[in-house]
Amino acid sequence: MNAPVKIETTLKDWETDQEVRWCPGCGDYAILKAVQRTLPQLGADPKNTVFISGIGCSSRFPYYVESYGFHTIHGRAPAFATGAKLANPDLDIWLVTGDGDGLSIGGNHLMHVLRRNVNMQIMLFNNEIYGLTKGQASPTSREGTKSPSTPIGSYDHPARPAAFALGAGARFIGRGFDVSKHLPDVLKAAHAHQGAAFIEIFQNCIVYNKDVFNDFAAPKGAEDQQLWLENGKPMLFANDSKGIALNREKLCLEVVDVVDGDWESAGVIVHDVTNRSVAHMLIEMPFGPFPMALGVLYDDPRPTFEAAALAEKAKASEGKEANLAKLLGKGQTWTVDDTAGHPA
């Protein structure tokens, strides 16, 4: 596989002439700008970049990025993206989905693109509601959520996107939210990862689920409830006055106070992005007693699906002649001679 050639672009090079059509105040606008600002920093080439989406508000994304794009069918974007990557492994593929598109009808397809480890960036916009179809409860809606499909309140247990991804075998899991200044850093880390990089992005649905993430994702005032993880750095939050420690007897995480900046004495652990067990605990931390874990939670690459496919193809064709006629004539075939002159 050839290494992609980095080129110089600006944000304007990634903007299309299409009118951006989301509800005023939708978090998708901020995510779009974060992606368009990040692509030049990656040295990405619009001619080699593909945005592939399913169905939903988030899935309008390919219209608004000046690159190749494919607005596919409900839940099947991972299948299309896998096909594109196998056809041309040099493509830089970004898959855009939502909590409904990716975890309801598309859960099966999302699981397989993760376990296969196809090299692409997968952005799942989680607004905990079906926005495009007028506000029904989605797979990630919280218990008690009132919507047209759950007028008394949802009694369903919500899916956890990052936990789903980890369980499906994803080797990169990141988290961010729409208006965060740190979101581009998560996108850059995902792009640097060789394999299926899964990013859950909390996104505010201004119409049907307004401000549901404000406890930790409000534009201002929620910083103390955010644990931004950085590899090799202690897990500190609330202006470094608190941290996350590992209770080794119970094998669980706990919040500890940090006095005078002495996080080591407080037992605060240092983030290791390759530690899957700790990543699982960070994903499962209940918000409220704990902050929301954000940033790169897990990053431990392994060989990619398309690399294995190419290697197998090369091995299978080694020393063989590329002759289609001979291939078609192989096996149980026969030739009928002189039939044209003797019609039945």
Side-chain angles (χ1 to χ4, degrees), residues 126-128 142 160-161 175-182 200-204 211-228 237 283 285-295:
N126 182 12
N127 56 20
E128 297 187 0
R142 304 175 194 185
R160 295 171 177 262
R175 266 204 197 130
F177 59 91
D178 46 16
V179 296
S180 171
K181 64 181 180 181
H182 299 296
E200 177 184 12
I201 305 175
F202 298 107
Q203 176 252 321
N204 186 30
D211 300 336
V212 71
F213 302 119
N214 261 12
D215 287 346
F216 67 87
K220 294 181 180 180
E223 292 81 5
D224 286 356
Q225 298 301 317
Q226 301 169 9
L227 171 63
W228 282 99
F237 67 101
I283 289 169
M285 285 194 314
F287 179 72
F290 290 86
M292 179 58 68
L294 301 163

mmCIF file of all heavy atoms in Angstrom, residues 126-128 142 160-161 175-182 200-204 211-228 237 283 285-295:
data_model
loop_
_atom_site.group_PDB
_atom_site.id
_atom_site.type_symbol
_atom_site.label_atom_id
_atom_site.label_comp_id
_atom_site.label_asym_id
_atom_site.label_seq_id
_atom_site.Cartn_x
_atom_site.Cartn_y
_atom_site.Cartn_z
ATOM 1 N N ASN A 126 -23.713 11.000 18.389
ATOM 2 C CA ASN A 126 -24.676 10.486 19.367
ATOM 3 C C ASN A 126 -25.465 11.641 19.974
ATOM 4 O O ASN A 126 -24.941 12.395 20.785
ATOM 5 C CB ASN A 126 -23.937 9.707 20.466
ATOM 6 C CG ASN A 126 -24.881 9.111 21.489
ATOM 7 O OD1 ASN A 126 -26.099 9.073 21.291
ATOM 8 N ND2 ASN A 126 -24.325 8.634 22.594
ATOM 9 N N ASN A 127 -26.724 11.785 19.554
ATOM 10 C CA ASN A 127 -27.583 12.797 20.173
ATOM 11 C C ASN A 127 -28.726 12.167 20.978
ATOM 12 O O ASN A 127 -29.632 12.851 21.424
ATOM 13 C CB ASN A 127 -28.145 13.776 19.126
ATOM 14 C CG ASN A 127 -28.914 13.069 18.011
ATOM 15 O OD1 ASN A 127 -29.359 11.928 18.166
ATOM 16 N ND2 ASN A 127 -29.077 13.743 16.881
ATOM 17 N N GLU A 128 -28.664 10.830 21.109
ATOM 18 C CA GLU A 128 -29.621 10.073 21.924
ATOM 19 C C GLU A 128 -31.070 10.241 21.474
ATOM 20 O O GLU A 128 -31.996 10.169 22.289
ATOM 21 C CB GLU A 128 -29.474 10.428 23.413
ATOM 22 C CG GLU A 128 -28.119 10.053 23.990
ATOM 23 C CD GLU A 128 -28.037 10.247 25.488
ATOM 24 O OE1 GLU A 128 -29.036 10.684 26.110
ATOM 25 O OE2 GLU A 128 -26.960 9.977 26.067
ATOM 26 N N ARG A 142 -31.853 7.665 26.923
ATOM 27 C CA ARG A 142 -31.812 7.292 28.335
ATOM 28 C C ARG A 142 -33.170 6.777 28.806
ATOM 29 O O ARG A 142 -34.208 7.108 28.234
ATOM 30 C CB ARG A 142 -31.396 8.497 29.180
ATOM 31 C CG ARG A 142 -30.079 9.089 28.749
ATOM 32 C CD ARG A 142 -29.729 10.354 29.511
ATOM 33 N NE ARG A 142 -28.635 11.039 28.840
ATOM 34 C CZ ARG A 142 -28.031 12.121 29.311
ATOM 35 N NH1 ARG A 142 -28.455 12.652 30.461
ATOM 36 N NH2 ARG A 142 -27.045 12.679 28.650
ATOM 37 N N ARG A 160 -24.433 1.672 24.792
ATOM 38 C CA ARG A 160 -23.272 2.535 25.004
ATOM 39 C C ARG A 160 -22.363 2.389 23.780
ATOM 40 O O ARG A 160 -21.720 1.341 23.618
ATOM 41 C CB ARG A 160 -22.523 2.143 26.267
ATOM 42 C CG ARG A 160 -23.326 2.348 27.551
ATOM 43 C CD ARG A 160 -22.580 1.733 28.729
ATOM 44 N NE ARG A 160 -23.271 1.960 29.981
ATOM 45 C CZ ARG A 160 -22.973 2.931 30.843
ATOM 46 N NH1 ARG A 160 -22.009 3.786 30.547
ATOM 47 N NH2 ARG A 160 -23.637 3.067 31.969
ATOM 48 N N PRO A 161 -22.299 3.384 22.920
ATOM 49 C CA PRO A 161 -21.538 3.234 21.670
ATOM 50 C C PRO A 161 -20.087 2.818 21.865
ATOM 51 O O PRO A 161 -19.603 1.922 21.167
ATOM 52 C CB PRO A 161 -21.637 4.632 21.036
ATOM 53 C CG PRO A 161 -22.926 5.177 21.560
ATOM 54 C CD PRO A 161 -23.027 4.666 22.967
ATOM 55 N N ARG A 175 -13.481 9.750 22.191
ATOM 56 C CA ARG A 175 -14.734 10.445 22.517
ATOM 57 C C ARG A 175 -14.498 11.940 22.490
ATOM 58 O O ARG A 175 -13.441 12.435 22.903
ATOM 59 C CB ARG A 175 -15.207 10.067 23.930
ATOM 60 C CG ARG A 175 -16.196 8.926 24.021
ATOM 61 C CD ARG A 175 -16.969 9.074 25.303
ATOM 62 N NE ARG A 175 -17.676 7.875 25.714
ATOM 63 C CZ ARG A 175 -17.608 7.353 26.926
ATOM 64 N NH1 ARG A 175 -16.829 7.885 27.844
ATOM 65 N NH2 ARG A 175 -18.319 6.293 27.231
ATOM 66 N N GLY A 176 -15.513 12.653 22.030
ATOM 67 C CA GLY A 176 -15.480 14.101 22.072
ATOM 68 C C GLY A 176 -16.903 14.615 22.033
ATOM 69 O O GLY A 176 -17.853 13.847 22.064
ATOM 70 N N PHE A 177 -17.054 15.937 21.952
ATOM 71 C CA PHE A 177 -18.395 16.504 21.767
ATOM 72 C C PHE A 177 -18.335 17.670 20.797
ATOM 73 O O PHE A 177 -17.263 18.244 20.541
ATOM 74 C CB PHE A 177 -19.049 16.888 23.094
ATOM 75 C CG PHE A 177 -18.310 17.895 23.931
ATOM 76 C CD1 PHE A 177 -18.549 19.253 23.801
ATOM 77 C CD2 PHE A 177 -17.390 17.484 24.888
ATOM 78 C CE1 PHE A 177 -17.895 20.191 24.586
ATOM 79 C CE2 PHE A 177 -16.719 18.407 25.689
ATOM 80 C CZ PHE A 177 -16.967 19.768 25.538
ATOM 81 N N ASP A 178 -19.468 17.999 20.250
ATOM 82 C CA ASP A 178 -19.557 18.881 19.093
ATOM 83 C C ASP A 178 -18.797 20.196 19.223
ATOM 84 O O ASP A 178 -18.056 20.573 18.326
ATOM 85 C CB ASP A 178 -21.025 19.125 18.712
ATOM 86 C CG ASP A 178 -21.920 19.455 19.909
ATOM 87 O OD1 ASP A 178 -21.398 19.790 20.998
ATOM 88 O OD2 ASP A 178 -23.155 19.363 19.749
ATOM 89 N N VAL A 179 -18.968 20.924 20.320
ATOM 90 C CA VAL A 179 -18.387 22.264 20.414
ATOM 91 C C VAL A 179 -17.045 22.281 21.133
ATOM 92 O O VAL A 179 -16.528 23.348 21.469
ATOM 93 C CB VAL A 179 -19.366 23.242 21.117
ATOM 94 C CG1 VAL A 179 -20.621 23.418 20.290
ATOM 95 C CG2 VAL A 179 -19.711 22.756 22.524
ATOM 96 N N SER A 180 -16.450 21.133 21.358
ATOM 97 C CA SER A 180 -15.188 21.085 22.098
ATOM 98 C C SER A 180 -14.007 21.515 21.231
ATOM 99 O O SER A 180 -13.870 21.090 20.085
ATOM 100 C CB SER A 180 -14.935 19.669 22.612
ATOM 101 O OG SER A 180 -13.629 19.566 23.139
ATOM 102 N N LYS A 181 -13.133 22.306 21.797
ATOM 103 C CA LYS A 181 -11.914 22.704 21.088
ATOM 104 C C LYS A 181 -10.932 21.547 20.976
ATOM 105 O O LYS A 181 -9.969 21.609 20.195
ATOM 106 C CB LYS A 181 -11.251 23.879 21.819
ATOM 107 C CG LYS A 181 -10.758 23.542 23.220
ATOM 108 C CD LYS A 181 -10.129 24.736 23.898
ATOM 109 C CE LYS A 181 -9.627 24.380 25.311
ATOM 110 N NZ LYS A 181 -9.027 25.553 25.986
ATOM 111 N N HIS A 182 -11.158 20.480 21.743
ATOM 112 C CA HIS A 182 -10.262 19.321 21.705
ATOM 113 C C HIS A 182 -10.680 18.290 20.658
ATOM 114 O O HIS A 182 -9.933 17.334 20.410
ATOM 115 C CB HIS A 182 -10.233 18.633 23.074
ATOM 116 C CG HIS A 182 -9.739 19.505 24.186
ATOM 117 N ND1 HIS A 182 -8.451 19.998 24.226
ATOM 118 C CD2 HIS A 182 -10.360 19.971 25.299
ATOM 119 C CE1 HIS A 182 -8.292 20.738 25.315
ATOM 120 N NE2 HIS A 182 -9.439 20.732 25.982
ATOM 121 N N GLU A 200 -16.829 8.380 19.159
ATOM 122 C CA GLU A 200 -18.178 8.762 19.571
ATOM 123 C C GLU A 200 -18.185 10.264 19.823
ATOM 124 O O GLU A 200 -17.379 10.769 20.621
ATOM 125 C CB GLU A 200 -18.596 8.020 20.836
ATOM 126 C CG GLU A 200 -19.970 8.426 21.350
ATOM 127 C CD GLU A 200 -20.357 7.756 22.672
ATOM 128 O OE1 GLU A 200 -19.471 7.143 23.311
ATOM 129 O OE2 GLU A 200 -21.529 7.878 23.069
ATOM 130 N N ILE A 201 -19.078 10.981 19.134
ATOM 131 C CA ILE A 201 -19.154 12.437 19.292
ATOM 132 C C ILE A 201 -20.538 12.790 19.833
ATOM 133 O O ILE A 201 -21.551 12.590 19.161
ATOM 134 C CB ILE A 201 -18.909 13.155 17.948
ATOM 135 C CG1 ILE A 201 -17.570 12.717 17.343
ATOM 136 C CG2 ILE A 201 -18.925 14.668 18.160
ATOM 137 C CD1 ILE A 201 -17.298 13.290 15.964
ATOM 138 N N PHE A 202 -20.571 13.296 21.058
ATOM 139 C CA PHE A 202 -21.837 13.730 21.636
ATOM 140 C C PHE A 202 -22.287 14.994 20.902
ATOM 141 O O PHE A 202 -21.532 15.957 20.796
ATOM 142 C CB PHE A 202 -21.676 14.002 23.132
ATOM 143 C CG PHE A 202 -21.285 12.786 23.923
ATOM 144 C CD1 PHE A 202 -20.001 12.647 24.420
ATOM 145 C CD2 PHE A 202 -22.204 11.775 24.169
ATOM 146 C CE1 PHE A 202 -19.632 11.532 25.148
ATOM 147 C CE2 PHE A 202 -21.846 10.652 24.895
ATOM 148 C CZ PHE A 202 -20.561 10.521 25.387
ATOM 149 N N GLN A 203 -23.517 14.969 20.415
ATOM 150 C CA GLN A 203 -23.989 16.043 19.545
ATOM 151 C C GLN A 203 -25.355 16.534 20.008
ATOM 152 O O GLN A 203 -26.285 15.747 20.195
ATOM 153 C CB GLN A 203 -24.045 15.530 18.102
ATOM 154 C CG GLN A 203 -24.601 16.519 17.097
ATOM 155 C CD GLN A 203 -25.991 16.129 16.622
ATOM 156 O OE1 GLN A 203 -26.292 14.959 16.412
ATOM 157 N NE2 GLN A 203 -26.849 17.121 16.481
ATOM 158 N N ASN A 204 -25.478 17.820 20.189
ATOM 159 C CA ASN A 204 -26.709 18.409 20.696
ATOM 160 C C ASN A 204 -27.762 18.511 19.599
ATOM 161 O O ASN A 204 -27.551 19.143 18.568
ATOM 162 C CB ASN A 204 -26.411 19.812 21.259
ATOM 163 C CG ASN A 204 -27.612 20.424 21.939
ATOM 164 O OD1 ASN A 204 -28.453 19.717 22.498
ATOM 165 N ND2 ASN A 204 -27.707 21.743 21.904
ATOM 166 N N ASP A 211 -29.837 20.142 24.854
ATOM 167 C CA ASP A 211 -28.983 20.310 26.032
ATOM 168 C C ASP A 211 -28.907 19.069 26.911
ATOM 169 O O ASP A 211 -28.590 19.159 28.096
ATOM 170 C CB ASP A 211 -29.457 21.502 26.873
ATOM 171 C CG ASP A 211 -29.416 22.808 26.099
ATOM 172 O OD1 ASP A 211 -28.637 22.889 25.130
ATOM 173 O OD2 ASP A 211 -30.168 23.738 26.455
ATOM 174 N N VAL A 212 -29.157 17.886 26.347
ATOM 175 C CA VAL A 212 -29.142 16.678 27.159
ATOM 176 C C VAL A 212 -27.746 16.369 27.694
ATOM 177 O O VAL A 212 -27.592 15.670 28.702
ATOM 178 C CB VAL A 212 -29.711 15.488 26.345
ATOM 179 C CG1 VAL A 212 -28.757 15.054 25.246
ATOM 180 C CG2 VAL A 212 -30.050 14.325 27.254
ATOM 181 N N PHE A 213 -26.710 16.913 27.031
ATOM 182 C CA PHE A 213 -25.329 16.670 27.463
ATOM 183 C C PHE A 213 -24.724 17.852 28.214
ATOM 184 O O PHE A 213 -23.513 17.879 28.455
ATOM 185 C CB PHE A 213 -24.445 16.344 26.257
ATOM 186 C CG PHE A 213 -24.907 15.152 25.467
ATOM 187 C CD1 PHE A 213 -25.256 15.289 24.132
ATOM 188 C CD2 PHE A 213 -24.997 13.902 26.045
ATOM 189 C CE1 PHE A 213 -25.676 14.196 23.388
ATOM 190 C CE2 PHE A 213 -25.422 12.799 25.318
ATOM 191 C CZ PHE A 213 -25.757 12.946 23.997
ATOM 192 N N ASN A 214 -25.534 18.823 28.581
ATOM 193 C CA ASN A 214 -24.998 20.049 29.160
ATOM 194 C C ASN A 214 -24.224 19.831 30.456
ATOM 195 O O ASN A 214 -23.359 20.636 30.810
ATOM 196 C CB ASN A 214 -26.123 21.065 29.422
ATOM 197 C CG ASN A 214 -26.198 22.109 28.312
ATOM 198 O OD1 ASN A 214 -25.571 21.954 27.264
ATOM 199 N ND2 ASN A 214 -26.964 23.161 28.523
ATOM 200 N N ASP A 215 -24.515 18.754 31.182
ATOM 201 C CA ASP A 215 -23.809 18.505 32.434
ATOM 202 C C ASP A 215 -22.308 18.381 32.233
ATOM 203 O O ASP A 215 -21.530 18.677 33.143
ATOM 204 C CB ASP A 215 -24.344 17.229 33.104
ATOM 205 C CG ASP A 215 -25.727 17.435 33.692
ATOM 206 O OD1 ASP A 215 -26.158 18.594 33.817
ATOM 207 O OD2 ASP A 215 -26.383 16.426 34.021
ATOM 208 N N PHE A 216 -21.894 17.924 31.042
ATOM 209 C CA PHE A 216 -20.449 17.805 30.790
ATOM 210 C C PHE A 216 -20.018 18.430 29.462
ATOM 211 O O PHE A 216 -18.822 18.582 29.228
ATOM 212 C CB PHE A 216 -20.012 16.333 30.813
ATOM 213 C CG PHE A 216 -20.567 15.498 29.691
ATOM 214 C CD1 PHE A 216 -19.905 15.423 28.471
ATOM 215 C CD2 PHE A 216 -21.736 14.777 29.855
ATOM 216 C CE1 PHE A 216 -20.410 14.647 27.433
ATOM 217 C CE2 PHE A 216 -22.243 13.998 28.827
ATOM 218 C CZ PHE A 216 -21.575 13.932 27.608
ATOM 219 N N ALA A 217 -20.968 18.795 28.598
ATOM 220 C CA ALA A 217 -20.601 19.276 27.268
ATOM 221 C C ALA A 217 -21.126 20.669 26.956
ATOM 222 O O ALA A 217 -21.136 21.068 25.792
ATOM 223 C CB ALA A 217 -21.096 18.289 26.212
ATOM 224 N N ALA A 218 -21.557 21.414 27.953
ATOM 225 C CA ALA A 218 -21.986 22.789 27.705
ATOM 226 C C ALA A 218 -20.793 23.604 27.202
ATOM 227 O O ALA A 218 -19.641 23.335 27.578
ATOM 228 C CB ALA A 218 -22.542 23.406 28.986
ATOM 229 N N PRO A 219 -21.029 24.599 26.333
ATOM 230 C CA PRO A 219 -19.913 25.393 25.816
ATOM 231 C C PRO A 219 -19.068 26.026 26.914
ATOM 232 O O PRO A 219 -17.860 26.177 26.767
ATOM 233 C CB PRO A 219 -20.617 26.458 24.965
ATOM 234 C CG PRO A 219 -21.909 25.831 24.574
ATOM 235 C CD PRO A 219 -22.314 24.975 25.724
ATOM 236 N N LYS A 220 -19.710 26.375 28.019
ATOM 237 C CA LYS A 220 -18.973 26.946 29.156
ATOM 238 C C LYS A 220 -19.571 26.436 30.462
ATOM 239 O O LYS A 220 -20.774 26.206 30.559
ATOM 240 C CB LYS A 220 -19.038 28.476 29.129
ATOM 241 C CG LYS A 220 -18.323 29.111 27.951
ATOM 242 C CD LYS A 220 -18.411 30.641 28.022
ATOM 243 C CE LYS A 220 -17.700 31.283 26.836
ATOM 244 N NZ LYS A 220 -17.788 32.771 26.889
ATOM 245 N N GLY A 221 -18.704 26.235 31.450
ATOM 246 C CA GLY A 221 -19.173 25.910 32.795
ATOM 247 C C GLY A 221 -19.218 24.441 33.147
ATOM 248 O O GLY A 221 -19.551 24.087 34.280
ATOM 249 N N ALA A 222 -18.892 23.571 32.193
ATOM 250 C CA ALA A 222 -18.960 22.132 32.467
ATOM 251 C C ALA A 222 -17.577 21.487 32.521
ATOM 252 O O ALA A 222 -17.466 20.271 32.593
ATOM 253 C CB ALA A 222 -19.813 21.440 31.415
ATOM 254 N N GLU A 223 -16.541 22.304 32.511
ATOM 255 C CA GLU A 223 -15.182 21.773 32.418
ATOM 256 C C GLU A 223 -14.822 20.832 33.562
ATOM 257 O O GLU A 223 -14.062 19.871 33.376
ATOM 258 C CB GLU A 223 -14.161 22.928 32.361
ATOM 259 C CG GLU A 223 -14.213 23.756 31.094
ATOM 260 C CD GLU A 223 -15.326 24.800 31.107
ATOM 261 O OE1 GLU A 223 -16.015 24.939 32.155
ATOM 262 O OE2 GLU A 223 -15.512 25.481 30.078
ATOM 263 N N ASP A 224 -15.361 21.088 34.750
ATOM 264 C CA ASP A 224 -15.016 20.255 35.908
ATOM 265 C C ASP A 224 -15.555 18.837 35.799
ATOM 266 O O ASP A 224 -15.148 17.954 36.560
ATOM 267 C CB ASP A 224 -15.542 20.895 37.207
ATOM 268 C CG ASP A 224 -14.724 22.099 37.623
ATOM 269 O OD1 ASP A 224 -13.704 22.385 36.956
ATOM 270 O OD2 ASP A 224 -15.112 22.773 38.601
ATOM 271 N N GLN A 225 -16.474 18.629 34.858
ATOM 272 C CA GLN A 225 -17.044 17.291 34.678
ATOM 273 C C GLN A 225 -16.444 16.577 33.461
ATOM 274 O O GLN A 225 -16.981 15.577 33.017
ATOM 275 C CB GLN A 225 -18.566 17.400 34.519
ATOM 276 C CG GLN A 225 -19.266 17.974 35.738
ATOM 277 C CD GLN A 225 -19.016 17.122 36.980
ATOM 278 O OE1 GLN A 225 -19.058 15.901 36.935
ATOM 279 N NE2 GLN A 225 -18.731 17.773 38.092
ATOM 280 N N GLN A 226 -15.330 17.096 32.967
ATOM 281 C CA GLN A 226 -14.674 16.499 31.811
ATOM 282 C C GLN A 226 -13.317 15.922 32.209
ATOM 283 O O GLN A 226 -12.487 16.617 32.800
ATOM 284 C CB GLN A 226 -14.460 17.553 30.714
ATOM 285 C CG GLN A 226 -15.731 18.206 30.216
ATOM 286 C CD GLN A 226 -15.455 19.413 29.352
ATOM 287 O OE1 GLN A 226 -14.321 19.693 28.965
ATOM 288 N NE2 GLN A 226 -16.504 20.166 29.040
ATOM 289 N N LEU A 227 -13.096 14.666 31.886
ATOM 290 C CA LEU A 227 -11.792 14.036 32.073
ATOM 291 C C LEU A 227 -11.178 13.851 30.694
ATOM 292 O O LEU A 227 -11.499 12.905 29.975
ATOM 293 C CB LEU A 227 -11.936 12.680 32.781
ATOM 294 C CG LEU A 227 -10.671 11.814 32.845
ATOM 295 C CD1 LEU A 227 -9.575 12.512 33.665
ATOM 296 C CD2 LEU A 227 -10.980 10.433 33.407
ATOM 297 N N TRP A 228 -10.297 14.789 30.315
ATOM 298 C CA TRP A 228 -9.642 14.697 29.014
ATOM 299 C C TRP A 228 -8.386 13.856 29.160
ATOM 300 O O TRP A 228 -7.457 14.222 29.862
ATOM 301 C CB TRP A 228 -9.311 16.078 28.461
ATOM 302 C CG TRP A 228 -10.510 16.751 27.893
ATOM 303 C CD1 TRP A 228 -11.293 17.695 28.477
ATOM 304 C CD2 TRP A 228 -11.101 16.480 26.601
ATOM 305 N NE1 TRP A 228 -12.332 18.046 27.644
ATOM 306 C CE2 TRP A 228 -12.242 17.321 26.497
ATOM 307 C CE3 TRP A 228 -10.784 15.634 25.544
ATOM 308 C CZ2 TRP A 228 -13.045 17.312 25.347
ATOM 309 C CZ3 TRP A 228 -11.596 15.635 24.426
ATOM 310 C CH2 TRP A 228 -12.708 16.471 24.330
ATOM 311 N N PHE A 237 -8.733 16.003 36.624
ATOM 312 C CA PHE A 237 -9.823 16.848 36.138
ATOM 313 C C PHE A 237 -10.164 17.873 37.206
ATOM 314 O O PHE A 237 -9.547 17.901 38.277
ATOM 315 C CB PHE A 237 -11.043 16.004 35.742
ATOM 316 C CG PHE A 237 -11.739 15.292 36.875
ATOM 317 C CD1 PHE A 237 -12.913 15.787 37.425
ATOM 318 C CD2 PHE A 237 -11.220 14.113 37.388
ATOM 319 C CE1 PHE A 237 -13.569 15.134 38.460
ATOM 320 C CE2 PHE A 237 -11.861 13.437 38.433
ATOM 321 C CZ PHE A 237 -13.025 13.947 38.961
ATOM 322 N N ILE A 283 -14.786 3.670 29.956
ATOM 323 C CA ILE A 283 -16.010 3.734 29.166
ATOM 324 C C ILE A 283 -17.238 3.531 30.040
ATOM 325 O O ILE A 283 -18.275 4.177 29.857
ATOM 326 C CB ILE A 283 -15.964 2.676 28.040
ATOM 327 C CG1 ILE A 283 -14.946 3.084 26.976
ATOM 328 C CG2 ILE A 283 -17.336 2.476 27.412
ATOM 329 C CD1 ILE A 283 -14.630 1.990 25.978
ATOM 330 N N MET A 285 -17.584 4.122 33.266
ATOM 331 C CA MET A 285 -17.727 4.996 34.441
ATOM 332 C C MET A 285 -19.084 5.688 34.432
ATOM 333 O O MET A 285 -19.428 6.365 33.450
ATOM 334 C CB MET A 285 -16.637 6.078 34.461
ATOM 335 C CG MET A 285 -15.275 5.607 34.850
ATOM 336 S SD MET A 285 -14.118 6.956 35.248
ATOM 337 C CE MET A 285 -14.354 8.122 33.925
ATOM 338 N N PRO A 286 -19.870 5.558 35.470
ATOM 339 C CA PRO A 286 -21.178 6.235 35.499
ATOM 340 C C PRO A 286 -20.993 7.738 35.674
ATOM 341 O O PRO A 286 -20.316 8.192 36.604
ATOM 342 C CB PRO A 286 -21.874 5.608 36.701
ATOM 343 C CG PRO A 286 -20.763 5.141 37.589
ATOM 344 C CD PRO A 286 -19.638 4.746 36.686
ATOM 345 N N PHE A 287 -21.608 8.502 34.767
ATOM 346 C CA PHE A 287 -21.480 9.952 34.875
ATOM 347 C C PHE A 287 -22.302 10.458 36.059
ATOM 348 O O PHE A 287 -23.409 10.006 36.316
ATOM 349 C CB PHE A 287 -21.949 10.645 33.605
ATOM 350 C CG PHE A 287 -21.853 12.141 33.694
ATOM 351 C CD1 PHE A 287 -20.627 12.757 33.659
ATOM 352 C CD2 PHE A 287 -22.986 12.912 33.859
ATOM 353 C CE1 PHE A 287 -20.521 14.139 33.771
ATOM 354 C CE2 PHE A 287 -22.903 14.293 33.971
ATOM 355 C CZ PHE A 287 -21.668 14.908 33.925
ATOM 356 N N GLY A 288 -21.740 11.403 36.769
ATOM 357 C CA GLY A 288 -22.341 11.935 37.993
ATOM 358 C C GLY A 288 -21.359 11.700 39.112
ATOM 359 O O GLY A 288 -20.643 12.624 39.530
ATOM 360 N N PRO A 289 -21.258 10.443 39.578
ATOM 361 C CA PRO A 289 -20.198 10.139 40.534
ATOM 362 C C PRO A 289 -18.815 10.308 39.898
ATOM 363 O O PRO A 289 -17.841 10.577 40.602
ATOM 364 C CB PRO A 289 -20.464 8.668 40.891
ATOM 365 C CG PRO A 289 -21.889 8.423 40.551
ATOM 366 C CD PRO A 289 -22.178 9.309 39.377
ATOM 367 N N PHE A 290 -18.741 10.123 38.584
ATOM 368 C CA PHE A 290 -17.479 10.265 37.856
ATOM 369 C C PHE A 290 -17.644 11.320 36.760
ATOM 370 O O PHE A 290 -18.762 11.610 36.328
ATOM 371 C CB PHE A 290 -17.087 8.941 37.198
ATOM 372 C CG PHE A 290 -16.663 7.865 38.154
ATOM 373 C CD1 PHE A 290 -17.611 7.036 38.735
ATOM 374 C CD2 PHE A 290 -15.326 7.672 38.471
ATOM 375 C CE1 PHE A 290 -17.239 6.032 39.606
ATOM 376 C CE2 PHE A 290 -14.937 6.675 39.343
ATOM 377 C CZ PHE A 290 -15.893 5.852 39.921
ATOM 378 N N PRO A 291 -16.526 11.877 36.280
ATOM 379 C CA PRO A 291 -16.606 12.777 35.119
ATOM 380 C C PRO A 291 -16.801 11.955 33.850
ATOM 381 O O PRO A 291 -16.743 10.724 33.872
ATOM 382 C CB PRO A 291 -15.226 13.462 35.138
ATOM 383 C CG PRO A 291 -14.314 12.416 35.720
ATOM 384 C CD PRO A 291 -15.139 11.701 36.767
ATOM 385 N N MET A 292 -17.028 12.633 32.737
ATOM 386 C CA MET A 292 -17.125 11.956 31.449
ATOM 387 C C MET A 292 -15.725 11.811 30.868
ATOM 388 O O MET A 292 -14.996 12.799 30.714
ATOM 389 C CB MET A 292 -18.009 12.756 30.485
ATOM 390 C CG MET A 292 -18.144 12.121 29.109
ATOM 391 S SD MET A 292 -18.826 10.443 29.127
ATOM 392 C CE MET A 292 -20.518 10.768 29.663
ATOM 393 N N ALA A 293 -15.339 10.578 30.556
ATOM 394 C CA ALA A 293 -14.023 10.314 29.965
ATOM 395 C C ALA A 293 -14.036 10.708 28.495
ATOM 396 O O ALA A 293 -14.866 10.215 27.716
ATOM 397 C CB ALA A 293 -13.669 8.842 30.124
ATOM 398 N N LEU A 294 -13.133 11.581 28.092
ATOM 399 C CA LEU A 294 -13.071 12.120 26.741
ATOM 400 C C LEU A 294 -11.644 12.027 26.212
ATOM 401 O O LEU A 294 -10.697 11.821 26.984
ATOM 402 C CB LEU A 294 -13.536 13.575 26.729
ATOM 403 C CG LEU A 294 -14.967 13.838 27.228
ATOM 404 C CD1 LEU A 294 -15.153 15.310 27.558
ATOM 405 C CD2 LEU A 294 -15.986 13.391 26.186
ATOM 406 N N GLY A 295 -11.502 12.181 24.912
ATOM 407 C CA GLY A 295 -10.179 12.066 24.306
ATOM 408 C C GLY A 295 -9.971 10.680 23.733
ATOM 409 O O GLY A 295 -10.916 10.011 23.314
#
